[in-house]
Amino acid sequence: AQSVTQPDIHITVSEGASLELRCNYSYGATPYLFWYVQSPGQGLQLLLKYFSGDTLVQGIKGFEAEFKRSQSSFNLRKPSVHWSDAAEYFCAVAPLSFQKLVFGTGTRLLVSP
Amino acid sequence: DAGVTQSPTHLIKTRGQQVTLRCSPKSGHDTVSWYQQALGQGPQFIFQYYEEEERQRGNFPDRFSGHQFPNYSSELNVNALLLGDSALYLCASSGGRGETQYFGPGTRLLVL
């Protein structure tokens, strides 16, 4: 069965510092990969996605993620964090198009002044 | 262009009752998926509807059922509510090749 691991439950970053959120997946082939962000009490907003091709993908709000097949990882990065980035971040995979999303448990990002 | 909408936003029920949640997909989308997100957890897939049929189902009991209408909107029904059904229920829509699911704001259900 597919699974997604986000090893960091909480991360605190100073405003203006760089950010990397980790995501590892377990699946036989390369699935579709996603990062979503959820602000308190809100739904999920898509940040970026990877289906194929260039392993470095750009998303909204200055986020990017890099797919590494050898490590089964899809880590999310941002060069300079803003206070408004404080939220819960979820990595998700789908084995094929039209398939269900399998989510990690999320990483809560706190931004300190 | 309206995104995915859900109603109601909040709901309080008591154990044993039944509840219906509603979802309207993003314009142009024909597939609706439902997820349950318990507090502090990632969303868990309940089921997916396409062409008014249940196409996939997650590991949820038969108390959870759904429907999709000809206009692609969808309902999630939960019977015999348990305290453990308290959660945020998220609807997501997709279309075309269906790779990307877009989520609504969710319905927060509290079962007392």
Side-chain angles (χ1 to χ4, degrees), chain A residues 32 34 36 38 42-44 46 49 51 90 97-101 103-105, chain B residues 35 37 41-43 45 48 55-56 88 96-101 103-105:
Chain A
Y32 296 122
F34 306 83
Y36 286 88
Q38 186 176 39
Q42 302 296 311
L44 300 173
L46 179 69
K49 58 191 177 185
F51 296 154
F90 291 95
S97 180
F98 302 110
Q99 297 290 308
K100 66 178 184 181
L101 290 171
F103 285 85
T105 52
Chain B
Y35 294 81
Q37 186 180 20
Q41 301 295 317
F45 175 76
Q48 183 182 86
R55 180 158 65 179
Q56 298 178 74
L88 180 68
R97 293 182 57 191
E99 298 97 345
T100 304
Q101 295 184 25
F103 284 81

Side-chain angles (χ1 to χ4, degrees), chain A residues 75-96:
Chain A
N75 293 349
L76 182 71
R77 302 194 295 246
K78 186 171 184 177
S80 177
V81 168
H82 187 263
W83 64 265
S84 60
D85 293 324
E88 186 99 26
Y89 290 80
F90 291 95
C91 180
V93 305
L96 294 169

